[in-house]
Amino acid sequence: MASESDLKVGKKLNEGKTKEIYELLDQPGHVLVQSKDQITAGNAVRKDQMEGKAAIANKTTSCVFKLLQDAGVKTAFVGRHSDTAFLAAHCEMIPIEWVCRRVATGSFLKRNPGVKEGYRFSPLKIEMFFKDDANNDPQWSEEQLLAAQFCFAGLDIGRTELDIMSHSTVAIFEILERAWATQNCTLVDMKIEFGVNVLTKEVVLADVIDNDSWRLWPAGDRSQQKDKQVYRDLKEVTPEAMQMVKRNFEWVSERVEMLLVPQAQGRVVVLMGSTADLAHSERISSACSAFGIPCTLRVSSAHKGPGETLRIKAQYEGDGVPTVFVAVAGRSNGLGPVMSGNTVYPVINCPPLTPDWGAQDVWSSLRMPSGLGCSTVLSPEAAALAAAQVFGLSDHLVWARLRATMLNTWISLKLADQKLQGCRV
């Protein structure tokens, strides 16, 4: 990591309770986010110094943003710069805290008497709060946000931008919820903020996500909570109490690194009937790479060399690596049925169809003998997607990429519709 002296740091652009934002003179459109050792609660009614908190918070937020960015979620995060600072795209912040809840607790119970603590929200509960310390960050409705007619970095914040933030909040929570589940830890609720990138004019996840941002209950047990709520709940702030709070923050920062590690690395093995199917198969391999899934291409004909096909199958079954086989065979597809009838691993047919005989050839992939469970998809990209969905059941990183892909597809459609409607005005 480079030192701050390696950067041409300009003026301070903003300062919050726990961080400072500086312009970078040699990197237009980027800023340095410097964490502080301060910990606060109740809009800074309670405020203390916690030695080492800046480094802990910076490590936590850098790992979280890397996880989200690697999945494909658009964020302001660029990279960790030092123990206590990271680089980010310069954003004009939208003054709304988006809160996403899986379990009812805290302020939600006070605002909704009668709801019992522990009530599980399915679907997730989304709330908005306007950032206004003087008025204790009042809760806002969608109508209030639209009526405010915000404009940041030249972008009007309207229905499209509101919907993008709302859908992104759900996706971000679900990605982190699934990641924390690998550590047997329940993500109870979380708050995030968005900004408008001053260069791209896009709404992106910004600010920080650290141990101030969520509630984390190991094994779903509130008594084991590891988040800032422990500090909020202190009846008296003593050196011993602050050490306990610091240990909790360190516990989170240590485990958040583990969220970047795959839980169960799988692979796709594409079996093609001949090298004439190579281009089709390479599209499957390329699409697998986008999900972080290794893909191997092999050539084997179940008609001309069934023994070799079964030998290749046994080779990949024998090393214990979770595998999805994709059978690429045109004309009469023997590969898929032979593989499916001789392995318990998933088999996906993805025949390369030709204009002249495609309609007839596809039936050899669709009409399977009884007892065979291989599916058929015609698009190479769809075959990779189907395989990724299998691995996503056990690998939270693959699942995260799938969830981000779904979010980004939705956003692209939303923006396309907005552009079309603008052209018609």
Side-chain angles (χ1 to χ4, degrees):
M1 293 179 289
S3 65
E4 288 190 22
S5 60
D6 296 328
L7 296 174
K8 293 184 178 179
V9 179
K11 65 180 180 181
K12 184 189 296 185
L13 298 175
N14 199 0
E15 181 172 4
K17 304 181 194 73
T18 61
K19 60 187 177 296
E20 299 168 331
I21 314 296
Y22 293 91
E23 70 173 339
L24 296 178
L25 301 178
D26 55 341
Q27 298 185 41
H30 292 84
V31 296
L32 181 72
V33 182
Q34 176 67 55
S35 295
K36 303 189 319 193
D37 279 343
Q38 184 166 269
I39 183 170
T40 69
N43 282 330
V45 172
R46 169 176 284 181
K47 179 169 58 177
D48 292 282
Q49 293 295 112
M50 189 171 85
E51 184 180 357
K53 180 180 180 290
I56 296 169
N58 188 57
K59 176 183 175 182
T60 300
T61 203
S62 294
C63 288
V64 170
F65 271 88
K66 188 176 189 312
L67 169 65
L68 294 169
Q69 200 167 58
D70 287 350
V73 176
K74 290 185 177 181
T75 77
F77 181 77
V78 173
R80 188 175 175 186
H81 171 67
S82 68
D83 286 343
T84 60
F86 67 89
L87 301 180
H90 184 192
C91 294
E92 290 192 11
M93 297 300 297
I94 302 168
I96 296 292
E97 280 189 352
W98 288 84
V99 175
C100 193
R101 304 181 186 275
R102 176 63 80 188
V103 179
T105 190
S107 65
F108 183 87
L109 300 180
K110 296 177 182 178
R111 289 182 284 108
N112 296 273
V115 178
K116 294 183 178 180
E117 182 168 47
Y119 179 87
R120 189 172 179 84
F121 299 110
S122 295
L124 293 163
K125 175 69 69 175
I126 305 295
E127 297 176 318
M128 288 183 292
F129 296 87
F130 178 57
K131 290 176 66 66
D132 181 1
D133 287 350
N135 292 297
N136 294 315
D137 298 342
Q139 186 174 6
W140 268 23
S141 65
E142 290 187 354
E143 291 75 17
Q144 285 173 293
L145 177 53
L146 294 174
Q149 297 183 325
F150 288 133
C151 180
F152 297 101
L155 179 68
D156 293 328
I157 307 303
R159 168 53 64 180
T160 295
E161 291 69 32
L162 186 156
D163 288 345
I164 287 174
M165 289 186 284
S166 176
H167 278 69
S168 296
T169 298
V170 171
I172 290 163
F173 185 96
E174 289 178 345
I175 289 170
L176 295 177
E177 176 184 42
R178 196 169 185 93
W180 275 113
T182 67
Q183 303 299 313
N184 191 28
C185 197
T186 298
L187 181 59
V188 174
D189 54 33
M190 181 180 71
K191 62 179 181 181
I192 59 176
E193 296 180 37
F194 295 88
V196 179
N197 187 313
V198 299
L199 294 182
T200 66
K201 312 302 181 184
E202 293 178 294
V203 173
V204 297
L205 175 67
D207 196 53
V208 298
I209 299 179
D210 56 24
N211 211 29
D212 292 5
S213 307
W214 50 33
R215 284 186 176 89
L216 289 173
W217 295 353
D221 183 356
R222 181 183 174 180
S223 68
Q224 299 183 48
Q225 61 189 357
K226 298 295 184 181
D227 49 82
K228 195 175 78 169
Q229 190 62 39
V230 175
Y231 173 73
R232 297 188 187 101
D233 292 343
L234 291 177
K235 294 181 179 179
E236 181 182 0
V237 178
T238 64
E240 293 77 18
M242 289 303 296
Q243 282 301 311
M244 176 190 66
V245 173
K246 183 177 180 179
R247 285 194 298 271
N248 285 341
F249 275 58
E250 289 172 335
W251 184 94
V252 171
S253 71
E254 290 167 2
R255 279 156 183 77
V256 79
E257 283 189 303
M258 301 178 188
L259 306 186
L260 300 174
V261 180
Q263 292 298 297
Q265 183 67 66
R267 69 182 168 212
V268 169
V269 175
V270 177
L271 289 170
M272 65 188 92
S274 75
T275 54
D277 304 325
L278 182 59
H280 187 85
S281 299
E282 285 178 336
R283 288 175 61 189
I284 299 173
S285 179
S286 177
C288 285
S289 296
F291 293 110
I293 302 171
C295 183
T296 301
L297 306 183
R298 300 295 298 267
V299 179
S300 184
S301 171
H303 290 112
K304 302 171 185 176
E308 178 65 8
T309 297
L310 295 179
R311 187 195 68 79
I312 292 174
K313 172 197 72 73
Q315 172 189 341
Y316 293 104
E317 288 178 321
D319 61 8
V321 178
T323 302
V324 171
F325 292 105
V326 179
V328 176
R331 300 186 181 182
S332 177
N333 177 17
L335 267 177
V338 168
M339 290 293 292
S340 183
N342 289 275
T343 184
V344 295
Y345 286 4
V347 177
I348 300 170
N349 293 317
C350 187
L353 304 181
T354 58
D356 47 358
W357 287 97
Q360 290 79 11
D361 292 346
V362 72
W363 286 108
S364 64
S365 296
L366 293 174
R367 287 282 289 172
M368 293 288 104
S370 62
L372 303 187
C374 50
S375 58
T376 297
V377 293
L378 303 184
S379 161
E381 290 74 21
L385 178 61
Q389 289 172 330
V390 172
F391 293 126
L393 295 173
S394 56
D395 189 331
H396 69 284
L397 296 182
V398 174
W399 193 93
R401 295 183 183 104
L402 287 164
R403 186 64 182 88
T405 297
M406 188 167 70
L407 170 66
N408 291 333
T409 298
W410 184 91
I411 290 175
S412 66
L413 291 171
K414 187 75 176 179
L415 292 174
D417 180 64
Q418 182 189 46
K419 183 178 180 180
L420 179 62
Q421 296 307 309
C423 292
R424 292 175 177 270
V425 174

